[in-house]
Each structure stands twice: as C-alpha cells, then as structure tokens.
Amino acid sequence: MSIRIHPAFWAAAAVLCFTGNFIVLGAGLAVVLVHEFAHAIAAYERGYVLNKITLMPYGAVISGEERLPEKDAFMIAAAGPLSNAVICLVLWALWWRFPVLYPYTKVIFDLSFAIGVFNVLPFYPLDGARMILAASKNKLRALKTLKILGIMASFTLVALFVVSAFYSLNLMPAIMAVPLYLGATGGTEKERYRHIYETISENKIKDAPLENKTVTVHWGLKLKTLLKRLSRDSLHTFIIVDDDMRYIGKLSESEFLYLMKNRPITDTVKEALGF
C-alpha cells in the first residue's frame, strides 16, 4: 500500500509541532491510519483492492482502481467511521476497568471521536457523502448536492479561521478547508461521468422501444465527448474513421460503455482501442 502525504497535512503537522503538540500529531496519525486501513480491510473482504492512502488534516483519502457496486461502496465507506467508534468504545471500557489509563489515552479517544464524527458529515469527499451517494437513486443530483455542501463546509472553516484571529488564532480550520475544497471541486470528473453513463444505460432496453442510431466519429475524439451523444431512447453504434475519413471500425454502445468504465475518460478513441 502506498501512502502519500497531502501538503495540507504537512502544514497541519508543522502547526502542531510549532505549538508543541507532538503527542496529538502522533496519536492523530495513528487514528487516521486505523481509519483508512478499516476501509482497505472492508474492501479486501469484498474482493477489492484499495491501496493508495493520501493523508489529510481531517483524516485521509483511500483509493484504488476498482469501481465499487453500491452496496459494497456503502459498507466500505462506513468502515472508517465505524473503526473510530470501536476505538472509542474500547477505550471507554478500558477506563471503566483501568481508570489509570484515562490520562494516557484520552487524546486518542478525542481524536477518534472527532475524526469519526467529521467524516460522517455529508460533505464530499468525506465518508458520509460517499455513503449517501452509494444509497442514492439519482446519483448525479446527489453528487452535485454533496459537492456543494463540501464547498460550503470549506467556506465555513475559513470563516472560523477568520473569527479565531480576533480571539486566539487557530490555523487548523483554514488548513482543513483547503483539501476539503479541492476534494469537493476537483478530481471527481471520472465519477461524474460514470454516473452519467450509468444513468443513461441502466435498464435502457426495459424502459421503451429503442431507435437504432449510427454516428460517425473521428478516432481523435475523447471518450467523454462521445458520451454526450448517448441518450436513453436510442441505441447507438459508433463508426470510427481516421484523418482521411477512412473506415477503421465500429463500436457498439455496450463496448463503448465498457471503455468508459475501464479507461480514462480523457483517452481518445484511438488510444482507448489501441490503434
């Protein structure tokens, strides 16, 4: 598993070190890794591999190459906050049996509770948003709403930072706002297009009779451009031509959707088909 550190995490770590909170930094790192490994284990149990962790100030983001089915995506997203809840429950039980441990483990409890609660909020790209997205029927609308909420949350964090300047300056809200804003506004194009083609193609043949349409496309066009030609009331076949308008081959709609799921959406038709 590869671990990448987001620049905002380095900024948060610098602030914690400068203020002497080395224990908080170490405990936070441990809690975050447990949270993300819980995602990875839940994915592995369901036959998927999530092997890339990016550490953030508010937690981390874990990813892989698999496109997860809705039920599995929900459970994998929920595994992280559940791990935080388990840590809190275990520590609470230990305090009841061994009170002497309280001052040594309270920071872990507080961080587990904070990270777990924060991550179940409906702000994209947090776990709570991903659980809502997995359970949503209209994923395009849900994704748009969750991204807007993520942007609003990042602005709220910036506002808290500004307010803190009049009392006791706290850089952490601003540091947390940066990756949250970037996660809500960027890096989701592939997911957005995936929901588009799933909305278009899902149960298409069961909805109504379909008209067959043939569309001629240049092999230099990108896959996401071809996607705009699809509609729910037609079944498309793409005729592929080169620069000289010579026939290269054809691509059925099901073959095209397979490429959309397994190739970068910015690939050209030529690149995707290996011409």
Side-chain angles (χ1 to χ4, degrees), residues 114 164 172 183 200 204 206 209-210 219 241:
S164 75
M172 291 304 295
I200 291 174
K204 176 187 284 193
K206 300 178 183 178
L210 299 178
W219 67 357
V241 297

Side-chain angles (χ1 to χ4, degrees), residues 145-217:
T145 301
L146 294 168
K147 290 175 67 175
I148 291 173
L149 290 175
I151 294 170
M152 293 173 61
S154 67
F155 288 162
T156 301
L157 288 171
V158 172
L160 291 174
F161 162 69
V162 173
V163 171
S164 75
F166 295 95
Y167 300 95
S168 178
L169 184 63
N170 185 354
L171 293 174
M172 291 304 295
I175 294 173
M176 293 173 63
V178 173
L180 184 59
Y181 178 82
L182 293 176
T185 58
T188 59
E189 186 182 29
K190 176 66 175 179
E191 185 164 12
R192 182 170 70 88
Y193 276 100
R194 176 167 65 84
H195 294 318
I196 290 174
Y197 67 66
E198 286 179 349
T199 299
I200 291 174
S201 63
E202 186 176 8
N203 297 323
K204 176 187 284 193
I205 194 66
K206 300 178 183 178
D207 293 339
L210 299 178
E211 177 185 358
N212 290 312
K213 285 189 176 181
T214 301
V215 182
T216 301
V217 298

Side-chain angles (χ1 to χ4, degrees), residues 66-135:
E66 283 81 3
R67 186 178 65 88
L68 306 176
E70 294 175 0
K71 182 179 178 180
D72 291 333
F74 183 93
M75 296 306 299
I76 291 169
L82 283 175
S83 71
N84 296 123
V86 169
I87 291 174
C88 289
L89 289 172
V90 169
L91 289 177
W92 183 83
L94 286 175
W95 293 344
W96 181 78
R97 184 66 179 85
F98 306 104
V100 69
L101 295 176
Y102 177 80
Y104 303 103
T105 55
K106 185 177 184 301
V107 64
I108 298 177
F109 180 95
D110 291 343
L111 288 169
S112 292
F113 182 82
I115 290 174
V117 170
F118 185 75
N119 273 277
V120 295
L121 296 175
F123 307 146
Y124 194 90
L126 302 182
D127 295 330
R130 295 190 179 277
M131 286 187 282
I132 293 173
L133 189 59

Side-chain angles (χ1 to χ4, degrees), residues 1 3 30-43 53 62 79 83:
M1 179 172 290
I3 299 178
V31 169
V32 165
L33 289 176
V34 169
H35 178 108
E36 297 308 321
F37 277 117
H39 287 308
I41 292 171
I53 291 179
I62 190 167
S83 71

